[in-house]
Amino acid sequence: MYKLIICDLDDTLLDPMKQLPAGFDNFRQTLDERGIKFTLATGRSNQSVQPFMDVLNIDLPYASSNGAVIMQKGQKIHCFKMALGPLRPLIEIAQSMGITVIYVVDGVEYAANLTDFIQKPNPANLSTQIYRPIVARDWQELKVDKVFLADPNSGVGLSRLYALANNLGPHYHYHCFEDWAMDIVSRQVDKGNALKWIAQYLQLAPQEVLAVGDGENDLPMIQAAGHGFAVANAILELQLQADSIAKAAYGQGVIEECLRLIQA
């Protein structure tokens, strides 16, 4: 029996217009009646996801920054920080290429360089960053939740970001978003480990968790869950690894497949 649902946010629960699915309140009521809890695991920083947490009225722990930070009721309860210093060559090369560099500290987003992505209205920029260039002392001392890279050159896909990622050391890895952005996180950070941490915190076994997502960064989460499924709009790699695939896309797929599984 599933006791917890962990759901990705963008392009899973939310549609491309960042809207919740119709009937979501009734869905949550059904979960409450069955004693099933609901929470999120997202690539967004806490700063970016908190407005949705307020709307969703979730008081359980949730994962932000791809699992680097576990939050509850707006407070950090666990984190997997990484040293910024070893990333200096990568970051400086990215800046020289005009790639936007955003670093996140305790859920707050800072822009290391001023680019059009930061300065001009952009629907792909989901939050507002504080402009704070990285200074010499930061390379020695600063620990961050993640580093986010956004490439304005959409014509090259992820090729420039992949080239940068080849310079990552053994203590880091990355998650890609569509064909223009990349998160760099600590090697131990992914949504699968976040799911396990949250489950243990709630005194649940991973087998009691139902997980759903749409993208590459959701793969560890659906593999760690008792049952992991993909919404219909998910990338092919995730669909091939999922235990099941929802018939509908986005939030409607979340609702329909969750109801099917908990009523089976």
Side-chain angles (χ1 to χ4, degrees):
M1 176 180 177
Y2 302 115
K3 297 181 179 179
L4 174 67
I5 297 169
I6 298 186
C7 184
D8 174 49
L9 186 61
D10 293 287
D11 293 327
T12 300
L13 185 61
L14 301 180
D15 66 18
M17 301 302 295
K18 307 306 177 188
Q19 298 297 309
L20 289 167
F24 184 73
D25 289 341
N26 290 335
F27 169 64
R28 285 289 301 277
Q29 183 177 348
T30 299
L31 296 182
D32 290 343
E33 291 170 353
R34 290 174 172 264
I36 300 173
K37 302 179 185 299
F38 183 91
T39 193
L40 298 179
T42 176
R44 292 186 184 222
S45 69
N46 183 59
Q47 170 185 314
S48 179
V49 74
Q50 189 59 51
F52 290 97
M53 301 306 295
D54 295 338
V55 170
L56 294 170
N57 193 28
I58 293 175
D59 58 8
L60 292 178
Y62 61 93
S64 62
S65 292
N66 277 310
V69 182
I70 309 295
M71 303 288 297
Q72 186 173 20
K73 298 180 180 179
Q75 301 296 316
K76 179 178 65 179
I77 60 174
H78 192 72
C79 66
F80 301 92
K81 287 186 178 294
M82 63 182 188
L84 189 66
L87 295 174
R88 182 173 185 173
L90 180 151
I91 289 173
E92 291 182 340
I93 292 171
Q95 289 177 309
S96 72
M97 297 167 66
I99 292 172
T100 300
V101 178
I102 296 170
Y103 59 100
V104 181
V105 181
D106 293 329
V108 179
E109 299 182 14
Y110 298 91
N113 53 341
L114 287 179
T115 62
D116 286 349
F117 184 86
I118 300 296
Q119 295 180 291
K120 296 182 178 180
N122 187 336
N125 189 352
L126 302 175
S127 190
T128 300
Q129 293 76 35
I130 299 168
Y131 176 53
R132 183 186 179 279
I134 299 170
V135 298
R137 184 175 178 179
D138 294 335
W139 299 120
Q140 300 296 322
E141 301 178 358
L142 189 62
K143 293 186 181 296
V144 301
D145 306 340
K146 70 172 184 176
V147 172
F148 174 82
L149 305 178
D151 192 344
N153 192 342
S154 59
V156 298
L158 287 164
S159 61
R160 298 205 305 174
L161 296 181
Y162 282 141
L164 288 171
N166 286 335
N167 296 316
L168 286 176
H171 302 298
Y172 304 89
H173 70 154
Y174 62 86
H175 300 289
C176 295
F177 302 90
E178 300 182 14
D179 63 350
W180 59 274
M182 175 181 288
D183 269 353
I184 298 172
V185 293
S186 171
R187 171 65 66 179
Q188 63 185 324
V189 169
D190 60 46
K191 291 186 181 182
N193 286 331
L195 180 150
K196 294 173 185 176
W197 195 96
I198 292 172
Q200 183 177 32
Y201 184 84
L202 297 175
Q203 298 183 321
L204 299 174
Q207 292 74 21
E208 297 176 294
V209 181
L210 182 60
V212 52
D214 76 292
E216 172 267 337
N217 61 329
D218 297 313
L219 184 56
M221 179 172 69
I222 70 165
Q223 291 175 329
H227 186 103
F229 74 90
V231 285
N233 57 288
I235 63 171
L236 179 59
E237 180 185 4
L238 193 74
Q239 292 190 27
L240 292 174
Q241 296 292 323
D243 294 313
S244 63
I245 303 171
K247 293 182 179 179
Y250 308 113
Q252 200 58 44
V254 173
I255 292 175
E256 292 176 5
E257 186 68 0
C258 282
L259 291 177
R260 184 186 74 81
L261 291 167
I262 67 176
Q263 293 170 358

